[in-house]
Amino acid sequence: MPMSTQTIAVHLPDGAIREVPAGTTPLEIANSISPRLAAVCVAARLTPVSGTVAEKLAAEDESAMYAAEDAAAERLVDLTTPLTADTRLELVKENDPEALKMLRHSAAHVLATAVLELFPDTKLGHGPATDSGFFYDFYREKPFTPEDLALIEARIALVIARNEPFVHEFSPREQALAEFERDGDFMKTHFVTKFTVPGDEVSFYRNGSFVDFCRGPHVPSTGRVKAVKVTALAGAYWLGDEKNPQLQRIYGTAFFSQKEMDAHFARLEEAAKRDHRLLGKQLDLFSIQELAGPGLVFWHPKGGIVRKVMEDWMRDECLRRGYLLVFTPHVMRRELWKVSGHEGHYAGNMYSPMELDDAEYRLKPMNCPGHILIYKSSPRSYRDLPQRYAELGNVYRYERSGTMHGLLRVRGFTQDDAHIFCTSGQIEDEVVACIDFAEAVLKTFGFNEFKVELSTWDPNDRAKYAGSDEGWALAEGSLRTALERKGIEYKTIPGEAAFYGPKIDIKLVDVLGRLWQLSTVQFDFTLPARFELEYVGEDGEKHQPVMVHRALFGSVERFFGVLIEHYAGAFPLWLAPVQVGLVPISERHHPYAKKVEAELKAAGLRVETDSRNEKMNGKIRDFANQKTPYILVFGDKEETAGAVSVRTRAKGDQGSMPLAEFIAKAKALIASQSTEL
Ligand SMILES: [Zn+2]
Ligand SMILES: [Zn+2]
């Protein structure tokens, strides 16, 4: 092969520019920097060089409102991909978030290699990476048995030990199709037909003798898959159609190290122990009843108390922050939902109309129209704005059966909903105040970390959205500015806006590092227009207010579910359904128990006395199993001293303390919403 005479410029992240012959690979560049660096790289990220960096950032800012194009400009390639044009190059190491996905997809190839070596008559479907691992779909007349899976796992280890390089190859589409058809590879034939066009060179990856239709990229070799595990086997119909052959989907997960994999399974185990459905039953917090229907939550007395504390905090905080409390009906005339546009844009999530004697009615899926009617009930002046209406409003939304999940995915729930009606000049301050409030909610309930997303519209899918181009530009601009004023980092998600306007979503991070979507702040220029809302401005003229929807718990049910999992049911003192458990050592201490109980209750504490004729240790254990924060034990000695022996659910015996001192300590912890005991 003649040496290329063309030279290209490769821009490295540190600003250095390397002039190299066209055809140079990222691996060669990595090696030229340091062979040790090359050894820990898994891929390269390329970004076309066009204009200066400053120009590129400005363009991104402008286009981000309309499309995700800036993301498409960047691509991951194999370390062995020849570079053919000037490019920015970033070497991707194992700790890069995208590296794990590549590794897992590579592990899917390794799995398919093992399956074909053991069961050569198997036909291949596809094998993508998922959020927690990967799968591969196979067709085989005889279903895989657990023994087969064990054999497959052992063979996977061999394929990894062979450390076969993943080699990118191409063949003409017609040839590829002919070969797949000849071999009866009906799924591969389908994928090639669907994803390529006549005349294409079809992309394949080879490791050893295994070849798969795939666009890549891949890690350099099978040996880079350091830890892999087959996790499950499930049936799936080809193309999701039950008339088609049944496939066998083998699930697995993979990591760059055994240590990371061990941590992953430890996390799963911990998450299973924290499952709010399990704890909800164990701690008698809530239930979902077959007779009543799926997705409908029954709050038991202990859950009810936690809910009261959550709601009291929320209502008090709303009042403190200048909100007004309102209540609105659960069913309203269908006509209202036509005016609001829910009939058109949201009907799929609403329950069927109910025919009453005067009109058709529908259950409310949202509280907004109710709050709008309150706004509209009297004339408003610019002096009245902003009007902030807050309601813990029950809403009902249709979710497909089978998608319900404890408190997290339900059909009836309570939004801590508020709508702010204001002038367009006030909007930024209001959004900033909403974000402040959301931060206060997260911090108070024990979440220190969160991630923020700005969901914008997709102007190419106009039918999905109400409102004008100018309206959307104004709305997205205000949300962006508010986030920037707060100095909050955020990610833009095009096409994820509500039909009536763009939104800011705040996702909290729980103790296991899982993300939960709860708080949302949404801009709306559509409903004020539909309902012809007005205020009289300083100029004496009529103007249209703008509207912000915001929910901070999101759904009280869902937030409670997350709280249960975050704390593993061991709520902080201020939230705990029973804060103090009383354990009289014997029957003759029952009168003292009554006195202690009365004093604690008078101090506002939630108390339960275990006066059963059981052993002291059994009673202590039962309170600890119920995750009761404090357990007070007392016998003759304590009674004489007017004291109690204090235990916590986690740390055990804390020694004896005068009752008055314990009460003062508990009250201080509650007042500060402390997570300490
Ligand atoms: Zn692949
Ligand atoms: Zn709303």
Side-chain angles (χ1 to χ4, degrees):
M1 203 190 232
M3 277 262 294
S4 169
T5 50
Q6 199 203 336
T7 296
I8 57 168
V10 177
H11 300 239
L12 299 174
D14 64 359
I17 299 175
R18 299 241 171 162
E19 302 279 339
V20 297
T24 300
T25 66
L27 183 62
E28 288 164 342
I29 291 172
N31 262 315
S32 75
I33 297 168
S34 119
R36 283 179 63 170
L37 172 68
V40 295
C41 289
V42 289
R45 186 176 284 118
L46 304 184
T47 320
V49 181
S50 49
T52 68
V53 174
E55 274 168 13
K56 185 176 174 293
L57 286 179
E60 246 175 24
D61 217 31
E62 200 175 300
S63 70
M65 202 149 64
Y66 302 107
E69 240 121 55
D70 42 330
E74 193 181 272
R75 65 194 178 106
L76 277 189
V77 298
D78 298 331
L79 282 178
T80 50
T81 301
L83 304 174
T84 53
D86 291 357
T87 185
R88 291 180 206 289
L89 177 141
E90 185 194 341
L91 293 162
V92 172
K93 287 185 249 168
E94 292 183 355
N95 58 4
D96 188 286
E98 285 188 275
L100 191 57
K101 270 205 128 145
M102 282 180 56
L103 176 83
R104 287 170 171 176
H105 171 64
S106 300
H109 279 232
V110 170
L111 165 65
T113 308
V115 167
L116 278 196
E117 286 180 10
L118 293 165
F119 309 97
D121 57 332
T122 308
K123 300 302 170 208
L124 302 183
H126 71 152
T130 63
D131 284 346
S132 59
F134 62 89
F135 65 79
Y136 212 113
D137 282 339
F138 300 102
Y139 174 72
R140 188 169 170 254
E141 275 177 29
K142 199 164 156 269
F144 292 118
T145 63
E147 293 73 35
D148 293 341
L149 291 188
L151 284 177
I152 291 168
E153 212 164 42
R155 181 60 65 114
I156 285 174
L158 274 180
V159 178
I160 291 172
R162 297 202 299 251
N163 196 19
E164 297 160 350
F166 284 103
V167 183
H168 201 181
E169 297 177 350
F170 294 88
S171 51
R173 181 179 194 261
E174 287 62 36
Q175 184 193 325
L177 276 175
E179 283 172 15
F180 280 138
E181 269 163 34
R182 180 197 66 206
D183 297 339
D185 268 309
F186 63 100
M187 294 182 280
K188 290 297 177 195
T189 307
H190 169 88
F191 289 126
V192 173
T193 311
K194 186 170 169 194
F195 294 113
T196 64
V197 294
D200 271 359
E201 285 282 303
V202 178
S203 161
F204 288 89
Y205 275 81
R206 171 190 295 278
N207 58 287
S209 56
F210 174 79
V211 182
D212 202 356
F213 167 57
C214 172
R215 268 178 307 183
H218 276 278
V219 297
S221 64
T222 60
R224 295 302 284 272
V225 184
K226 294 290 185 221
V228 61
K229 193 172 168 60
V230 169
T231 52
L233 175 66
Y237 288 103
W238 168 232
L239 301 177
D241 186 340
E242 55 190 273
K243 290 195 283 295
N244 284 339
Q246 175 138 39
L247 308 179
Q248 299 189 55
R249 177 169 291 183
I250 298 182
Y251 287 93
T253 193
F255 290 88
F256 283 108
S257 74
Q258 186 63 39
K259 199 173 144 212
E260 283 168 293
M261 186 151 92
D262 291 346
H264 167 78
F265 283 104
R267 245 188 339 265
L268 284 187
E269 209 174 292
E270 187 55 38
K273 272 192 265 169
R274 288 167 180 264
D275 189 319
H276 72 283
R277 294 167 300 179
L278 221 76
L279 287 167
K281 202 173 158 104
Q282 198 183 312
L283 305 177
D284 198 16
L285 300 170
F286 73 94
S287 63
I288 288 164
Q289 312 249 358
E290 188 52 38
L291 186 59
L296 301 168
V297 180
F298 290 78
W299 293 73
H300 294 201
K302 285 188 175 149
I305 277 291
V306 183
R307 176 168 176 154
K308 180 200 177 283
V309 178
M310 290 167 66
E311 292 193 355
D312 285 353
W313 182 87
M314 183 53 85
R315 287 202 175 96
D316 289 348
E317 201 60 29
C318 277
L319 289 173
R320 215 173 64 73
R321 291 171 188 259
Y323 287 78
L324 307 165
L325 301 181
V326 299
F327 298 86
T328 59
H330 287 209
V331 287
M332 288 173 267
R333 279 194 178 141
R334 192 171 183 183
E335 209 45 44
L336 174 74
W337 304 110
K338 286 183 184 157
V339 176
S340 68
H342 286 85
E343 279 275 346
H345 292 281
Y346 206 70
N349 296 80
M350 292 174 74
Y351 292 97
S352 308
M354 294 170 245
E355 180 86 47
L356 299 190
D357 47 5
D358 61 331
E360 284 183 303
Y361 286 71
R362 288 191 98 153
L363 264 175
K364 70 170 166 186
M366 293 188 195
N367 302 299
C368 346
H371 294 186
I372 286 173
L373 294 187
I374 294 174
Y375 178 89
K376 223 174 136 65
S377 65
S378 63
R380 308 288 174 185
S381 128
Y382 70 94
R383 284 187 219 94
D384 304 326
L385 301 186
Q387 289 273 307
R388 309 183 188 96
Y389 299 149
E391 174 177 15
L392 288 154
N394 300 106
V395 294
Y396 294 87
R397 295 180 187 173
Y398 175 71
E399 296 278 355
R400 276 184 302 118
S401 71
T403 60
M404 256 70 72
H405 181 90
L407 295 172
L408 302 180
R409 193 96 183 244
V410 292
R411 283 180 171 168
F413 59 97
T414 314
Q415 274 187 314
D416 65 312
D417 209 357
H419 294 92
I420 300 165
F421 302 87
C422 63
T423 68
S424 44
Q426 293 168 329
I427 185 84
E428 254 175 59
D429 284 346
E430 289 303 314
V431 173
V432 168
C434 286
I435 299 170
D436 283 338
F437 198 167
E439 284 178 333
V441 171
L442 298 184
K443 204 170 148 266
T444 304
F445 286 86
F447 303 98
N448 300 318
E449 216 188 310
F450 58 89
K451 296 206 153 60
V452 175
E453 290 177 358
L454 174 65
S455 297
T456 60
W457 75 330
D458 176 2
N460 299 317
D461 195 1
R462 289 223 34 108
K464 230 177 102 184
Y465 306 97
S468 66
D469 288 28
E470 302 75 55
W472 280 90
L474 167 76
E476 293 184 2
S478 337
L479 294 187
R480 236 176 248 288
T481 315
L483 284 170
E484 272 146 29
R485 262 176 61 189
K486 286 283 300 169
I488 288 177
E489 261 183 60
Y490 63 95
K491 206 164 112 194
T492 304
I493 319 274
E496 281 298 308
F499 75 82
Y500 46 75
K503 59 177 180 168
I504 293 169
D505 285 330
I506 301 172
K507 298 188 171 180
L508 64 80
V509 182
D510 78 3
V511 72
L512 298 185
R514 297 174 300 181
L515 283 175
W516 300 93
Q517 162 60 55
L518 297 157
S519 310
T520 180
V521 180
Q522 314 191 349
F523 189 99
D524 191 342
F525 43 82
T526 305
L527 284 178
R530 285 181 155 268
F531 281 91
E532 299 172 335
L533 299 187
E534 293 174 343
Y535 68 91
V536 176
E538 223 165 334
D539 55 5
E541 300 290 315
K542 285 180 172 166
H543 299 271
Q544 194 167 85
V546 292
M547 185 174 164
V548 176
H549 311 241
R550 68 111 193 98
L552 305 179
F553 288 148
S555 137
V556 176
E557 284 75 6
R558 190 171 153 82
F559 196 82
F560 184 45
V562 174
L563 278 181
I564 296 171
E565 300 210 355
H566 182 62
Y567 289 115
F571 296 107
L573 189 63
W574 72 291
L575 284 171
V578 176
Q579 295 166 318
V580 189
L582 301 186
V583 178
I585 289 176
S586 77
E587 221 169 316
R588 70 172 180 281
H589 306 115
H590 284 185
Y592 183 58
K594 280 216 160 53
K595 183 173 170 284
V596 173
E597 185 179 310
E599 283 194 37
L600 291 169
K601 281 186 172 164
L605 289 156
R606 297 186 285 272
V607 196
E608 208 174 87
T609 304
D610 190 342
S611 41
R612 290 175 305 165
N613 194 13
E614 299 278 335
K615 289 251 163 34
M616 175 185 86
N617 283 337
K619 295 182 187 182
I620 292 172
R621 196 169 48 240
D622 285 352
F623 276 125
N625 285 340
Q626 284 296 301
K627 323 233 177 194
T628 310
Y630 283 113
I631 303 158
L632 305 185
V633 185
F634 36 81
D636 295 336
K637 199 174 76 188
E638 286 81 10
E639 185 168 350
T640 316
V644 285
S645 171
V646 180
R647 307 176 72 95
T648 67
R649 61 189 163 205
K651 286 195 215 130
D653 199 350
Q654 305 291 296
S656 175
M657 189 186 277
L659 182 59
E661 194 182 320
F662 171 77
I663 290 175
K665 181 183 171 180
K667 280 178 75 172
L669 290 174
I670 290 167
S672 60
Q673 287 124 1
S674 171
T675 50
E676 305 288 308
L677 288 182

